[in-house]
């Protein structure tokens, strides 16, 4: 080997990175030499090292791709003749010459790619005979035939196939090549395919399969009559149906037939072709070994055929052809259903999409025939099989470990489309669907097979999903066999009910079909049994028992007063669950988050909070629940004070859970009940609030406790009404103490609720709280708002943005609830200037249009509250001047002149409406002072013509606000044109 050959081998095989880098660098230098094509061709003729052969071919391809235009005519001819000679076994007169086409597949493929690169540039103008030049060499036998197929396959891969993205230039070249081939050589190539397959299918089946696979690629764009004729089609079916032939050849022949079936044609021609092919001849082959290559190919053929028939049916117009296509579909569907249930479906075939299309076709029929109803049942069976979990994951799914969680997520995603399909079937044939689900459930329950868990879960999931498509009336009346299904479900013992999947979907079904139970209250005891025994709250799997708490709460919300007769029974059944939840350490609960068991307290609260419950019993029930929870909090506070750093989070979590439970419990009690009809109940909640406020005293900086207590105060505002007032000063004081920006957000949300609930009655409290809040907020939020910075937003920045957004809402709520006097108290006045500038800046600049609109609305309210009629004494000195000089100029004029103010956007148009309103209000309050300032100072800044300014004043003084809005928009648009959109907001 010479240096180049050694360098090539090292660049491929060496593990020494430094040496390899040197070799690659040396090879690259050689690649840049002007005589590189000659070097490569010489090496290809004489080097037996396959790495060298591959490198030389790759280099030739690179040179042709990049430098073809700049190469000399002689050099192109030399490369063309040399490469073609290698491909055709035209060995040069030298006994040491190497036959590249007898090398390994990757070398032969690379040789084919070099030829295709030449075809790209030279066919048909420079090298018009390239394909015809190959023909005489086909008689040389298998090696050359294989090479010819590789060239055609490479042509498809590199240029013609639409399976890969192409540039516009490649698309143009592909069209040029195909057009030339159709005119010049496609018939000869097709004849060659036929002759080779006829000659070799018995003696060299691998070669025959290669040729057929090559032919399959070209069927989509050549004249269909060249292959779909009385010569080729019989040969293909003879191959497919020959028992003794290899699966590879038979499958390749099936692939060719599929290509014919899939060829784009007008519907009548396609239907005629499908009729001619007589695909029914191969239906029986699909029932063989499902893992074989043949069965896979036949499956793809049958599903592809079914898709095309269905497409014909959809696009054909005459009744006769539609009926014929439906006959073909009815004929092939049993085999297609078999494929769906038993075989690996081709990746290009979508089961759901095809079956959705078939159902759409059925909807167009006046009535379904018996065969079509049978097909509906088979579709349902396909869905049932497809949604079944794999038994190998049974234990993982029960314990929900990492593997089980991944499998559940995967199946949840996979099932979505299948359940959509199920509901579509249910709309086409509801009775058939219900009977199928009933039979599936009955069979699954009786089954003693190893798949019992998966079959029961699948049957139950069908029933659950089917309920989504039922109307409320159908569910209430128990249409079809639903009136039989639900009682059967409630009374049937499932041998696999201990499994998490089965237990969960069982409870979900009962919850989904509660409309039926509401109308048929005789089933309520069975429903309660399902939730309160070991199928629900007492299930051995913690995921089930906690989910049962949530679902039971939903059931209670629907049944409510119908459960009053069962209260004692319910409380007795849940007593151990409640006791367990209030005594166990948080760490041992097993679950946290939304399904931590707290929903059972909400469920119980909803039942005992009903006015149907006698007052004395109601008080006893509530005391029975609140007392241990308050004791848990008090004990937790004592323990947390002395806990070490390891135990402290657990103690805090226990307190947190008790607060959540109390909050959930209180949701069942209305304000009227606890304040008017049964104030004793209200007193119990006030005492509880006292206990919870101690949490803030003890641990004011523990955020989880702050948020939970805040949430309870929210609840008490709704539950206790105005009787919560005495507790507010203390609560607000604790919540505001040492609060971070993110804590202030929650505090403002609470204040917003209080303001909306109590309006001006809150004025005294707000006058005390607002200066403290304003001082905290304006200390961290500048007058010009929070600037947007490039790069990632930090957590601290996110908190400030959220605080600013909540502040706007807070100020808006104060202004719109007649509490703007709060801004004017002696303690608050020092923050007035900062607030005004922040609101002004936000009116004009904030990215969120809804925020800008809210800020303008605040100013509208402030003008109404603080400004009397013209010429009266000012309530807030300087405010009128600020509004006229600064606000009107910047917000009402400059901000809307900015080209970013998009009148076509609906939200922006709403903001514009508020800007119109504020101008009308300012004129009403400020009179001619407002108009004179506009005419003398504001409008000249934007070079507004005098006549337009006068028209503006006339429109503003008129009573037609819609007319004024329309005029002002056109005025702004004209000014923009005048300034050529170059105005910069000042």
């Amino acid at each position: 080997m010479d240096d180049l050959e050694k360098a090539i081998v090292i660049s491929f095989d060496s593990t020494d990175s430094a040496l390899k880098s040197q070799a690659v660098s040396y090879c690259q230098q050689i690649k840049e030499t002007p005589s590189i094509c000659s070097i490569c061709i010489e090496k290809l003729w004489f080097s037996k090292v396959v790495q060298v052969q591959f490198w030389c071919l790759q280099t030739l391809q690179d040179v042709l791709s990049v430098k073809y235009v700049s190469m000399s005519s002689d050099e192109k001819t030399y490369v063309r003749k040399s490469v073609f000679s290698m491909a055709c076994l035209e060995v040069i007169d030298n006994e040491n010459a190497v036959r590249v086409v007898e090398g390994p597949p990757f070398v032969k493929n690379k040789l084919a790619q070099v030829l295709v690169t030449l075809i790209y540039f030279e066919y048909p103008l420079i090298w018009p005979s390239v394909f015809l030049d190959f023909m005489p060499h086909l008689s040389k036998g298998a090696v050359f035939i294989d090479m010819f197929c590789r060239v055609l396959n490479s042509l498809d891969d590199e240029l013609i196939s639409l399976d890969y993205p192409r540039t516009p230039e490649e698309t143009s070249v592909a069209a040029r090549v195909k057009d030339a081939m159709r005119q010049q050589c496609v018939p000869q190539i097709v004849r060659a395919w036929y002759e080779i397959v006829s000659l070799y299918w018995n003696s060299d089946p691998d070669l025959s399969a290669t040729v057929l696979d090559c032919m399959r690629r070209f069927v989509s764009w050549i004249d269909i009559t060249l292959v779909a004729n009385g010569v080729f089609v019989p040969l293909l079916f003879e191959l497919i149906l020959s028992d003794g032939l290899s699966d590879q050849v038979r499958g390749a022949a099936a692939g060719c037939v599929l290509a014919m079936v899939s060829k784009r044609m007008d519907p009548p021609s396609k239907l005629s072709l499908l009729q001619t092919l007589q695909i029914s001849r191969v239906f029986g082959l699909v029932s063989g070994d499902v893992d074989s290559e043949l069965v896979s190919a036949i499956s793809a053929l049958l599903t592809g055929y079914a898709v095309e028939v269905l497409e014909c049916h959809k696009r054909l117009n005459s009744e006769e052809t539609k009926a014929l296509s439906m006959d073909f579909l009815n004929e092939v569907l049993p085999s297609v259903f078999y494929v769906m249930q038993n075989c690996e479906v081709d990746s290009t075939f979508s089961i759901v999409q095809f079956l959705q299309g078939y159902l759409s076709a059925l909807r167009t029929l006046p009535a379904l025939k018996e065969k079509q109803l049978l097909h509906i049942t088979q579709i349902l069976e396909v869905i049932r099989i497809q949604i079944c979990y794999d038994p190998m994951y049974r234990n993982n799914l029960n314990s929900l470990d990492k593997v089980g969680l991944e499998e559940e997520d995967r199946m949840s995603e996979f099932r979505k489309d299948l359940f959509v399909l199920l509901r579509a079937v249910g709309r086409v044939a509801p009775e058939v669907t219900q009977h199928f689900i009933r039979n599936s459930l009955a069979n699954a329950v009786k089954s003693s097979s190893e798949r019992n868990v998966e079959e029961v879960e699948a049957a139950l999931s069908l029933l659950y999903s089917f309920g989504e498509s039922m109307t409320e009336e159908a569910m209430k009346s128990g249409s079809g066999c639903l009136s039989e299904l639900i009682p059967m479900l409630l009374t049937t013992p499932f041998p696999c009910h201990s499994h998490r999947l089965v237990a969960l979907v069982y409870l979900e079904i009962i919850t989904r079909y509660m409309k039926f139970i509401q109308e048929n209250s005789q089933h309520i005891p069975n429903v309660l049994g399902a939730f309160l025994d070991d199928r629900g709250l007492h299930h051995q799997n913690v995921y089930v028992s906690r989910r049962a708490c949530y679902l039971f709460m939903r059931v209670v919300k629907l049944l409510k007063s119908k459960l009053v007769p069962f209260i004692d029974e319910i409380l007795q059944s849940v007593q151990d669950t409640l006791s367990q939840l209030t005594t166990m350490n948080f760490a041992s609960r097993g679950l946290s988050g939304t399904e931590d068991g707290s929903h059972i307290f909400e469920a119980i609260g909803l039942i005992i909070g009903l006015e149907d419950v006698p007052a004395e019993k109601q008080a006893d029930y509530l005391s029975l629940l609140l007392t241990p929870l308050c004791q848990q909090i008090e004990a937790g506070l004592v323990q947390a004070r002395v806990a070490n750093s390891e135990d402290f989070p657990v103690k805090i979590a226990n307190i947190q859970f008790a607060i959540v439970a109390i909050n959930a419990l209180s949701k069942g009690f209305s304000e009227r009940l606890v304040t008017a009809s049964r104030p004793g109940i209200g007193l119990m909640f006030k005492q509880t609030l006292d206990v919870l406020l101690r949490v803030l005293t003890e641990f004011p900086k523990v955020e989880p406790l702050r948020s939970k207590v805040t949430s309870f105060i929210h609840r008490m505002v709704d539950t206790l009404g105005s009787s919560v007032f005495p507790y507010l000063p203390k609560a607000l004081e604790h919540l505001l103490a040492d609060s971070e920006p993110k804590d202030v957000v929650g505090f403002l949300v609470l204040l917003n609720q209080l303001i909306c609930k109590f309006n001006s009655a809150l004025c005294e409290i707000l006058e005390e709280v607002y200066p403290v809040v304003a001082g905290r907020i304006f200390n961290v939020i500048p007058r010009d708002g929070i600037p947007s910075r490039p790069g990632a937003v930090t957590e601290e920045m996110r908190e400030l943005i959220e605080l600013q957004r909540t502040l706007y809402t807070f100020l808006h709520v104060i202004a719109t609830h007649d509490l703007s006097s709060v801004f004017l108290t002696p303690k608050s006045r020092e923050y007035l200037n900062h607030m005004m500038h922040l609101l002004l800046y936000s009116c004009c600049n904030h990215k969120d249009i809804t925020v800008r609109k809210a800020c303008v609305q605040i100013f509208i309210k402030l003008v109404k509250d603080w400004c009397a009629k013209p010429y009266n004494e000012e309530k807030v000195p300087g405010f009128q001047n600020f509004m006229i000089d600064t606000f009107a100029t910047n917000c009402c004029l400059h901000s809307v002149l900015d080209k970013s103010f998009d009148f076509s956007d609906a939200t922006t148009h709403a903001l514009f409406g508020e800007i119109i309103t504020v101008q009308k209000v300012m004129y009403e309050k400020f009179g001619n002072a407002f108009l004179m300032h506009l005419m003398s100072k504001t409008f000249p800044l934007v070079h507004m013509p005098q006549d337009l300014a006068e028209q503006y004043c006339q429109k503003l003084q008129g009573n037609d606000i819609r007319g004024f809005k329309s005029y002002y928009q056109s005025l702004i648009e004209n000014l923009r044109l005048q300034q050529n959109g170059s105005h910069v907001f000042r």
Side-chain angles (χ1 to χ4, degrees):
M1 288 195 291
D2 61 18
D3 289 346
L4 176 58
E5 292 179 0
K6 288 176 184 175
I8 292 170
V9 172
I10 290 170
S11 71
F12 276 100
D13 300 339
S14 178
T15 55
D16 185 331
S17 57
L19 184 62
K20 188 169 187 172
S21 177
Q22 283 182 330
V24 170
S25 179
Y26 177 74
C27 291
Q28 189 60 37
Q29 285 178 359
I30 299 296
K31 207 171 180 179
E32 299 300 324
T33 60
S35 59
I36 185 61
C37 290
S38 300
I39 293 170
C40 289
I41 286 168
E42 185 180 352
K43 294 292 181 193
L44 286 167
W45 280 126
F46 296 108
S47 178
K48 295 180 181 180
V49 182
V50 292
Q51 294 97 322
V52 174
Q53 293 173 3
F54 183 84
W55 184 89
C56 290
L57 289 167
Q58 180 64 62
T59 300
L60 280 175
Q61 186 182 10
D62 293 343
V63 170
L64 288 169
S65 299
V66 176
K67 300 180 179 179
Y68 180 85
V69 177
S70 61
M71 289 169 65
S72 69
S73 178
D74 289 343
E75 191 175 15
K76 293 174 186 175
T77 303
Y78 172 65
V79 172
R80 183 190 316 127
K81 287 184 176 179
S82 300
V83 173
F84 187 74
S85 296
M86 291 174 198
C88 295
L89 291 174
E90 292 180 345
V91 182
I92 61 173
D93 189 16
N94 190 313
E95 60 183 20
N96 295 320
V98 173
R99 296 183 174 216
V100 176
V101 290
E102 293 177 348
F106 68 89
V107 172
K108 290 187 280 190
N109 287 340
K110 186 52 66 178
L111 176 59
Q113 287 170 14
V114 175
L115 278 162
V116 168
T117 306
L118 284 166
I119 290 168
Y120 183 97
F121 289 109
E122 300 189 343
Y123 182 78
L125 297 177
I126 298 170
W127 192 8
S129 61
V130 55
F131 297 105
L132 295 177
D133 289 345
F134 272 105
M135 293 298 157
H137 299 281
L138 290 172
S139 58
K140 291 179 180 177
V143 173
F144 179 76
I145 293 169
D146 172 77
M147 191 63 226
F148 182 55
C149 288
R150 287 180 194 275
V151 172
L152 292 178
N153 290 347
S154 182
L155 181 68
D156 183 61
D157 289 335
E158 303 296 323
L159 189 60
I160 294 174
S161 174
L162 298 177
D163 293 340
Y164 310 99
R166 306 292 185 196
T167 65
E169 182 190 345
E170 288 171 337
T171 304
S172 174
V173 173
R176 184 193 77 209
V177 169
K178 288 192 291 185
D179 287 345
M181 288 182 72
R182 287 189 192 103
Q183 290 179 14
Q184 182 202 48
C185 59
V186 166
Q188 292 92 317
I189 293 173
V190 173
R191 193 179 309 117
W193 286 334
Y194 177 81
E195 290 171 355
I196 292 166
V197 173
S198 301
L199 183 62
Y200 285 97
W201 68 271
N202 226 341
S203 59
D204 194 341
D206 288 348
L207 183 65
S208 298
T210 298
V211 172
L212 289 168
D213 184 62
C214 177
M215 168 183 157
R216 171 188 60 78
R217 294 164 173 255
F218 284 73
V219 170
S220 64
W221 59 271
I222 65 174
D223 182 355
I224 190 65
T225 60
L226 293 172
V227 287
N229 52 45
V231 177
F232 229 127
V233 170
L235 173 63
L236 292 174
F237 277 96
E238 182 184 357
L239 297 175
I240 294 170
L241 297 168
S242 295
D243 279 341
L245 203 55
S246 73
D247 281 2
Q248 191 182 3
V249 177
R250 299 171 74 186
C256 290
V257 177
L258 174 58
M260 295 181 201
V261 165
S262 306
K263 188 172 175 68
R264 285 187 295 181
M265 302 167 67
D266 62 278
S269 301
K270 173 61 73 72
L271 190 64
S272 176
L273 171 64
L274 298 178
Q275 189 173 15
T276 305
L277 291 175
Q278 298 176 14
I279 297 289
S280 59
R281 290 179 277 179
V282 302
F283 287 174
L285 297 178
V286 82
S287 57
D289 178 7
V290 293
D291 294 324
S292 75
E293 197 173 327
L294 174 63
V295 170
S296 178
I298 297 298
S299 299
L301 172 57
L302 295 183
T303 52
Y305 172 80
V307 166
E308 294 300 325
V309 171
L310 183 60
E311 188 64 20
C312 283
H313 182 273
K314 186 165 68 177
R315 295 170 59 197
L316 287 166
N317 296 319
S318 78
E319 290 302 317
E320 184 183 348
T321 53
K322 270 189 171 296
L324 182 61
S325 59
M326 186 55 77
D327 288 342
F328 288 163
L329 204 52
N330 289 334
E331 186 181 38
V332 75
L333 273 174
S335 298
V336 172
F337 290 132
Y338 180 88
V339 168
M340 291 176 181
Q341 293 170 31
N342 299 283
C343 306
E344 189 73 31
V345 177
D346 185 74
S347 60
T348 59
F349 176 70
S350 167
I351 290 176
V352 173
Q353 191 176 337
F354 171 74
L355 293 178
Q356 287 275 27
Y358 177 61
L359 290 172
S360 297
L362 292 185
R363 286 194 199 102
T364 64
L365 302 178
L368 299 182
K369 297 176 182 176
E370 187 178 342
K371 184 177 280 189
Q372 286 151 349
L373 291 173
L374 178 62
H375 291 162
I376 292 284
T377 304
Q378 288 177 301
I379 291 173
L380 291 166
E381 181 61 18
V382 167
I383 296 171
R384 190 191 70 78
I385 290 171
Q386 291 279 326
I387 67 169
C388 271
Y389 278 94
D390 190 327
M392 71 179 285
Y393 295 109
R394 187 181 297 174
N395 293 334
N396 305 100
L397 288 160
N398 193 41
S399 60
L400 205 61
D401 56 18
K402 184 183 177 185
V403 173
L405 190 59
E406 287 175 358
E407 178 62 10
E408 187 167 48
D409 288 345
R410 186 192 70 79
M411 280 295 283
S412 176
E413 191 62 32
F414 173 72
R415 285 173 157 193
K416 283 179 183 176
D417 288 342
L418 290 162
F419 285 143
V420 170
L421 179 63
L422 171 70
R423 294 189 283 274
V425 176
R427 286 189 288 272
V428 172
E431 290 189 11
V432 173
T433 306
Q434 288 188 30
H435 279 91
F436 177 86
I437 293 172
R438 182 192 63 184
N439 294 339
S440 297
L441 204 51
N443 293 336
V445 171
K446 290 175 190 172
S447 168
S448 59
S449 74
E450 278 299 307
R451 286 183 62 85
N452 183 258
V453 169
E454 290 72 32
E455 287 177 358
V456 169
E457 193 278 337
L460 289 170
S461 293
L462 289 175
L463 178 57
Y464 175 76
S465 180
F466 179 69
E468 196 172 320
S469 63
M470 291 190 75
T471 63
E472 189 172 324
E473 279 308 309
M475 197 174 283
K476 282 181 178 179
S477 63
S479 69
C481 58
L482 192 65
S483 56
E484 175 192 345
L485 259 175
I486 301 305
M488 179 185 98
L489 187 77
L490 292 170
T491 55
T492 302
F494 292 97
C496 52
H497 215 123
S498 60
H499 195 279
R500 186 185 69 88
L501 284 180
V502 173
L504 283 176
V505 72
Y506 178 81
L507 295 173
E508 296 281 1
I509 289 171
I510 297 173
T511 309
R512 170 154 283 180
Y513 287 92
M514 281 308 298
K515 296 288 184 191
F516 173 78
I517 304 297
Q518 281 179 292
E519 297 298 310
N520 298 272
S521 52
Q522 70 271 22
H523 299 300
I524 289 177
N526 287 331
V527 170
L528 292 175
F531 277 99
L532 301 176
D533 64 20
D534 59 4
R535 290 171 289 174
L537 293 177
H538 294 90
H539 197 280
Q540 62 189 22
N541 188 301
V542 67
Y543 291 98
V544 177
S545 58
R546 295 295 182 264
R547 182 67 177 169
C549 291
Y550 168 71
L551 294 175
F552 183 58
M553 178 269 294
R554 284 178 52 191
V555 167
V556 168
K557 276 186 175 179
L558 289 169
L559 293 178
K560 284 188 178 174
S561 58
K562 292 184 178 180
L563 294 176
V564 173
F566 305 97
I567 285 183
D568 289 324
E569 178 189 335
I570 291 169
L571 288 176
Q572 192 173 352
S573 296
V574 303
Q575 190 172 355
D576 58 340
T577 301
L578 298 176
S579 175
Q580 188 183 32
L581 288 168
T582 53
T583 56
M584 67 167 55
N585 274 334
F586 184 82
S588 60
R589 285 198 180 98
L591 291 177
S592 60
T594 55
E595 296 196 354
D596 55 6
S598 61
H599 287 107
I600 190 64
F601 290 94
E602 184 175 350
I604 299 304
L606 288 166
I607 300 171
I608 66 172
L610 293 166
E611 293 204 30
D612 307 65
V613 180
E616 191 177 333
K617 274 198 163 189
Q618 191 174 56
D620 289 343
Y621 291 146
L622 185 58
S623 176
L624 193 68
L625 292 159
L626 283 179
T627 303
L629 288 168
C630 289
Q631 288 171 349
Q632 182 179 336
I633 292 170
E634 289 171 330
L637 291 173
V638 173
Q639 293 165 6
R641 279 199 298 269
V642 297
N644 58 36
S645 58
E646 189 178 331
D647 290 340
F648 183 76
V650 176
K651 303 303 179 188
I652 293 299
N654 288 335
I655 298 170
Q656 184 181 331
F657 179 81
I659 299 171
V660 169
I662 292 170
N663 200 356
L665 187 65
S666 68
K667 291 179 183 178
F669 294 83
S670 67
E671 181 179 348
R672 195 178 67 80
L673 183 138
V674 302
T675 58
S677 59
R678 296 177 187 178
I681 299 294
L683 180 61
M684 293 170 75
F685 279 117
K686 289 175 193 174
Q687 292 166 344
T688 304
L689 181 56
D690 259 333
V691 174
L692 265 62
L693 290 179
R694 258 181 275 158
V695 174
L696 291 179
T697 308
E698 294 276 352
F699 299 106
K701 291 189 176 182
V702 179
E703 199 280 329
L705 293 183
R706 284 177 64 92
S707 66
K708 294 296 181 288
V709 173
T710 304
S711 179
F712 184 67
I713 296 171
H714 277 291
R715 169 55 48 194
M716 288 301 98
V717 169
D718 285 336
T719 305
L720 296 174
S722 58
S723 63
V724 82
F725 260 72
Y727 298 86
L728 289 179
K730 182 182 175 183
L732 296 175
E733 179 189 346
H734 285 312
L735 287 172
L736 201 51
D738 301 322
S739 51
E740 300 291 329
K742 60 182 177 182
D743 301 322
V744 177
V745 169
F747 185 77
L748 293 182
V749 172
L750 175 60
L751 285 178
N752 288 342
Q753 182 199 16
L754 291 168
I755 296 167
C756 293
K757 178 84 173 175
F758 301 120
N759 297 306
S760 56
L762 198 72
C763 187
E764 194 175 323
I765 291 175
L766 203 56
E767 285 177 353
E768 290 298 317
V769 171
Y770 176 75
V772 184
V773 173
R776 292 273 174 82
I777 295 175
F778 293 140
N779 192 41
V780 293
I781 294 179
R783 286 157 54 112
D784 293 342
I786 298 169
S788 57
R789 296 172 183 167
V793 179
T794 63
E795 184 61 33
E796 182 184 4
M797 184 64 71
R798 262 193 291 271
E799 288 176 6
L800 287 176
I801 291 169
E802 180 63 22
L803 174 59
Q804 181 177 261
R805 178 177 288 277
T806 312
L807 171 65
Y808 293 131
T809 306
F810 175 56
L811 297 175
H812 188 271
V813 168
I814 290 176
T816 54
H817 284 78
D818 300 319
L819 288 166
S820 63
S821 61
V822 168
F823 300 135
L824 304 178
T825 64
K827 289 181 182 177
S828 300
R829 273 195 182 257
E830 66 175 287
Y831 304 109
L832 188 59
N833 189 41
H834 193 127
M835 181 187 85
M836 288 297 172
H837 280 281
L838 176 64
L839 289 174
L840 172 63
Y841 184 84
S842 302
C843 281
C844 304
N845 290 337
H846 204 283
K847 288 181 179 178
D848 189 335
I849 298 297
T850 56
V851 168
R852 291 171 69 171
K853 177 183 166 187
C855 292
V856 175
Q857 288 172 337
I858 293 171
F859 277 114
I860 292 171
K861 197 67 175 69
L862 295 182
V863 172
K864 288 180 178 179
D865 288 354
W866 294 351
C867 302
K869 290 290 184 182
Y871 314 116
N872 287 13
E873 185 181 346
E874 282 193 275
K875 187 176 181 181
V876 183
F879 179 66
Q880 178 172 323
N881 285 340
F882 170 81
M883 291 301 297
I884 294 175
D885 294 351
T886 310
F887 178 85
T889 303
N890 287 293
C891 180
C892 300
L893 186 60
H894 289 325
S895 76
V896 293
L897 272 174
D898 193 281
K899 60 185 177 184
S900 65
F901 196 96
D902 182 8
F903 285 107
S904 64
D905 175 66
T907 313
T908 306
H909 208 264
L911 166 62
F912 185 65
E914 298 299 334
I915 290 172
I916 293 298
T917 302
V918 77
Q919 291 175 78
K920 294 290 285 185
V921 171
M922 287 169 70
Y923 172 69
E924 179 188 322
K925 295 293 185 181
F926 307 149
N928 288 333
F930 177 46
L931 294 180
M932 287 172 64
H933 186 275
L934 291 175
M935 295 290 287
S936 63
K937 294 188 178 178
T938 304
F939 290 159
L941 289 173
V942 293
H943 310 292
M944 186 184 292
Q946 183 69 22
D947 60 329
L948 292 181
E950 289 173 359
Q951 283 181 35
Y952 166 86
C953 293
Q954 289 171 8
K955 295 284 184 182
L956 179 62
Q957 293 172 77
N959 295 321
D960 182 6
I961 192 164
R962 292 180 68 179
F964 174 55
K965 182 179 180 181
S966 177
Y967 170 78
Y968 195 55
Q969 180 176 335
S970 66
L971 176 64
I972 295 297
E973 288 169 342
N974 285 332
L975 286 172
R976 282 185 186 176
L977 289 173
Q978 177 184 309
Q979 296 169 355
N980 198 23
S982 61
H983 183 79
V984 178
F985 169 68
R986 300 184 311 163

